[in-house]
Structures are given as structure tokens and as C-alpha cells.
Amino acid sequence: MAGKIKHYFAGGNTARGFFSLFEECLAGLERVFILKGGPGTGKSTLMKNIGAKWLEKGFDLEFLHCSSDPHSIDGVIIRELKIGVVDGTAPHIIEPKVPGVVEEYVNLGEAWDSERLALKKERIVDLNSRIQLAFRSAYETFEEALKIHDDWEKIYISNMDFEKANKLTDKLADLFFNDAALNKHSDVKHRFLGAATPEGAVDFVPNLTEDIARRFFIKGRPGSGKSTMLKKLAAEAESKGIDVEIYHCGFDPHSLDMLIFRELGIAIFDSTAPHEYFPSREGDEIIDLYGTIIEMGTDEIFAEKIKHYSQSYQEKMKQAISYLAQAKGLRDELESIYIAAMDFAIVDTYKDRINAEIKRIVK
């Protein structure tokens, strides 16, 4: 029987620039192939092909999607074998800790025709410069959006009952963990459930929670303590030796969006835009923070301010996404130049070599 694929992001285009969780995602692996090479050298295709081969053999996979093109992947992990293949080019530079033993570089640049690329040098330099400018503009605009969001949050923070918030968190901790303490160290994984992409916000909540028996959907306004609640629950689980998958916010990576306790069959996540979901099966439950820990009537009292912040925030987010789309268009042109100069038969030999190494480990 074929295995299953879990989809998530290891890096994000955020209000704090490009934010990488690659090191955390690769933690615990004993063999990592780090692919080097320019755009269009077939890294994503190579990783998908390797994944497909071992998926058919019954191994579960993790696909690390690219936030600059969610249809591409930046990595594939076979957790059971402690093996990963990952794109090690900018912006997610991966520094090997035990080179040649754990990590191994695979240089796909050996498959391109340097003389042919040299003929396009000026265009390549220009495209790279314009791509960097587009990303810089996106990050600066996301940062402006975050400042607006912070002001928006202050409205609800000033109308929050913190004692009730703490009691609700304690109640959930009792419900989830029931005074359980496992005699082991907690396995903590840090990831992104979604990302800001050239296509807008993309998330993998349905995929990540498809096997979870109980899902808790947190509904609340900006600044209503959702992330703080998740941070406290994550710390409580870790102190008890319970494994936890921590999913950071793709807009502000210092905030959290979701926790999954697979040993317990529980997921709890911020179910507000842009990753808004509603109960759809048995075991789903809503946790509504408005009216529970936020003073009723806050929306009406501050309606004008809230409308202003909401509209300003949406405008900035839309503008930032347009810069990501611009970068994607330029990068597509850059990829076409490299594709025309590539000998993909050589890339296939690297794919075969990596598969042979995985086969050796399986034996």
C-alpha cells in the first residue's frame, strides 16, 4: 500500500523577511542530500520523483513546499528512514554540521552549459537584481501591514479579561493532557502550516489534520490571545513529554497558528482568515474567544477604527502579494534561461544515485 504525504512549509515570506525553519524541519535526520544549482535546474522535479518512488513502496513522506511557488517543493523527507533531500540554495541556505557523513552536497550546476549561460549574463544579472528588489518590496510592505495589525490588536487587548483567558487555557490543558506525563523527552517540530505566496495565502490545514480525531477551531479577533494560548499549551505538552508539532504564523513567525499532538489525536488551531475553517466532521469543536474573554460590544464601540485598520491591512497585504507575483514572473523567465542550458540526463543520474543510496539504507 502506498504511503501518505504531509504537506507544509519550512520557510515563509513574512513581515520579518524570509524566515527559515529548515534547520528545525531537518532535525533528527541522519542523511541529508543538499541540492545546489540555479533556478530551473530541476531540483523540485528531482525531489518529487524521488518522493514518488518511495511513496509507492509504502513510505510516508513530508513535502516542504516553496513559499515563492507553492506548486514546487523545497524538500522531501522520509522520516522513517531519517533521510531528506532539500534545496540548499538561497534564501534557505543550509549549513552542514557533519559534511560527508550526514549531509552531502549534490551540485546540479554540473549539468548546465556554462558557455550558453554566459551569453545571457547581462539578462541573468538584471533579472536577479529585479527579483531581489521585488522580494525586498514585499517584505517591507508586509512589515507595514504588521504595524497596522498591531494597532488593530490593541483594541481587543485593551478589552480582554486576562484572568478568563488564563482559566480557559488551563481548562484546555486539563482536557488535552489530563495530568498525563510520558516518561520521555518531547519531540518538538517547528513548521509553517501556510505561507504568503504569489497566489495569495496557501495553507495545508486539511491535509495536516486529516488523521486527527479531535480538532479545536479557535475563533477570535486580532489580539484576542490565540497565539499566547497556543504557546502555553505547547510548553505544557513539552513539559509532560508529549510530542508536539508547532506551526508558526506565515505572516508573523513569532506567533503560532496551530499545534498538533498526534499521540493524543488532537489539533488546535487559529481558524480565522486567511486560514478560516469550520467544523465538518465528528470530533470538531469551536472555541470562540469573542464574548468569552473579550468584552461583548467591543466590535460596535470601535467599529470605525476596526474598519479603517481592516481595510488598510488588506490593502497592504494585497500590495505585498503583488510584489511576490512580480518576483515569480521574473523568476520564471530566469528559470527558462537555465532550462535551455541544462542537460537533464545528468540530473537524472543524480536522482538515480540518491535513490540507490536510499535503497542501500533501506536494506
Side-chain angles (χ1 to χ4, degrees), residues 37-41 108-125 333-343:
T41 52
L108 301 187
E110 294 180 3
W112 62 42
D113 184 337
S114 297
E115 291 184 4
R116 189 165 183 173
L117 289 176
L119 297 174
K120 300 283 188 176
K121 178 182 177 180
E122 289 186 9
R123 186 56 180 161
I124 291 172
V125 170
E333 182 180 345
L334 185 61
E335 286 184 352
S336 68
I337 294 174
Y338 278 86
I339 288 171
M342 288 292 293
D343 183 345

Side-chain angles (χ1 to χ4, degrees), residues 29-182:
L29 300 185
E30 296 179 355
R31 200 79 172 94
V32 180
F33 297 91
I34 303 173
L35 306 182
K36 292 291 187 178
T41 52
K43 298 185 294 294
S44 177
T45 300
L46 181 150
M47 290 184 286
K48 286 181 178 179
N49 287 341
I50 289 174
K53 178 181 179 66
W54 295 98
L55 186 72
E56 289 178 2
K57 293 181 178 294
F59 290 96
D60 292 339
L61 306 178
E62 297 170 19
F63 271 7
L64 286 57
H65 286 256
C66 174
S67 57
S68 297
D69 179 3
H71 302 291
S72 295
I73 62 171
D74 283 336
V76 58
I77 294 174
I78 311 174
R79 190 71 61 177
E80 182 181 345
L81 301 178
K82 297 184 178 181
I83 293 174
V85 187
V86 63
D87 181 348
T89 56
H92 31 78
I93 302 299
I94 299 166
E95 294 297 335
K97 292 182 173 58
V98 193
V101 179
V102 175
E103 301 91 356
E104 178 180 340
Y105 283 118
V106 178
N107 183 16
L108 301 187
E110 294 180 3
W112 62 42
D113 184 337
S114 297
E115 291 184 4
R116 189 165 183 173
L117 289 176
L119 297 174
K120 300 283 188 176
K121 178 182 177 180
E122 289 186 9
R123 186 56 180 161
I124 291 172
V125 170
D126 177 59
L127 285 169
N128 274 315
S129 177
R130 291 169 65 191
I131 289 168
Q132 291 175 12
L133 177 60
F135 275 117
R136 186 161 60 247
S137 298
Y139 299 149
E140 289 173 354
T141 308
F142 280 133
E143 185 179 13
E144 293 171 4
L146 180 59
K147 291 176 182 177
I148 295 169
H149 201 272
D150 287 344
D151 289 336
W152 189 359
E153 287 184 345
K154 289 175 184 176
I155 294 174
Y156 294 100
I157 292 172
S158 63
N159 288 276
M160 181 191 298
D161 187 324
F162 289 93
E163 184 178 349
K164 287 183 179 179
N166 289 332
K167 287 182 178 178
L168 176 58
T169 303
D170 291 341
K171 180 181 177 181
L172 289 171
D174 288 340
L175 175 65
F176 293 172
F177 312 131
N178 194 27
D179 296 326
L182 304 183

Side-chain angles (χ1 to χ4, degrees), residues 119-299:
L119 297 174
K120 300 283 188 176
K121 178 182 177 180
E122 289 186 9
R123 186 56 180 161
I124 291 172
V125 170
D126 177 59
L127 285 169
N128 274 315
S129 177
R130 291 169 65 191
I131 289 168
Q132 291 175 12
L133 177 60
F135 275 117
R136 186 161 60 247
S137 298
Y139 299 149
E140 289 173 354
T141 308
F142 280 133
E143 185 179 13
E144 293 171 4
L146 180 59
K147 291 176 182 177
I148 295 169
H149 201 272
D150 287 344
D151 289 336
W152 189 359
E153 287 184 345
K154 289 175 184 176
I155 294 174
Y156 294 100
I157 292 172
S158 63
N159 288 276
M160 181 191 298
D161 187 324
F162 289 93
E163 184 178 349
K164 287 183 179 179
N166 289 332
K167 287 182 178 178
L168 176 58
T169 303
D170 291 341
K171 180 181 177 181
L172 289 171
D174 288 340
L175 175 65
F176 293 172
F177 312 131
N178 194 27
D179 296 326
L182 304 183
N183 188 25
K184 65 178 180 61
H185 288 292
S186 172
D187 182 11
V188 181
K189 295 182 173 65
H190 292 267
R191 303 163 172 172
F192 291 104
L193 64 82
T197 81
E199 300 176 7
V202 174
D203 74 77
F204 295 112
V205 170
N207 168 263
L208 291 167
T209 64
E210 64 182 354
D211 298 327
I212 301 299
R214 301 188 69 186
R215 302 187 301 175
F216 294 82
F217 300 64
I218 307 175
K219 301 292 184 181
R221 312 299 195 268
S224 56
K226 300 184 293 292
S227 177
T228 300
M229 175 186 289
L230 293 177
K231 288 177 180 178
K232 290 180 178 179
L233 291 171
E236 181 74 7
E238 187 175 358
S239 72
K240 293 178 177 295
I242 297 168
D243 297 344
V244 54
E245 295 171 18
I246 299 177
Y247 292 87
H248 292 250
C249 172
F251 172 57
D252 179 6
H254 293 171
S255 294
L256 303 185
D257 274 346
M258 180 167 72
L259 305 176
I260 297 180
F261 311 106
R262 292 199 183 274
E263 293 167 305
L264 308 179
I266 293 173
I268 178 169
F269 62 98
D270 178 349
S271 184
T272 57
H275 34 78
E276 184 173 21
Y277 292 91
F278 295 92
S280 60
R281 65 185 194 227
E282 186 178 354
D284 288 351
E285 184 176 332
I286 287 178
I287 301 172
D288 191 354
L289 302 185
Y290 189 75
T292 305
I293 64 174
I294 300 293
E295 186 70 27
M296 290 294 290
T298 299
D299 285 348

Side-chain angles (χ1 to χ4, degrees), residues 141 144-149 151-152 155-156 222 302-320:
T141 308
E144 293 171 4
L146 180 59
K147 291 176 182 177
I148 295 169
H149 201 272
D151 289 336
W152 189 359
I155 294 174
Y156 294 100
F302 297 94
E304 286 300 317
K305 277 190 174 181
I306 292 170
K307 180 180 179 181
H308 168 71
Y309 289 139
S310 177
Q311 290 179 343
S312 299
Y313 170 75
Q314 294 296 334
E315 287 171 4
K316 287 295 181 183
M317 292 298 287
K318 184 177 180 180
Q319 184 181 359

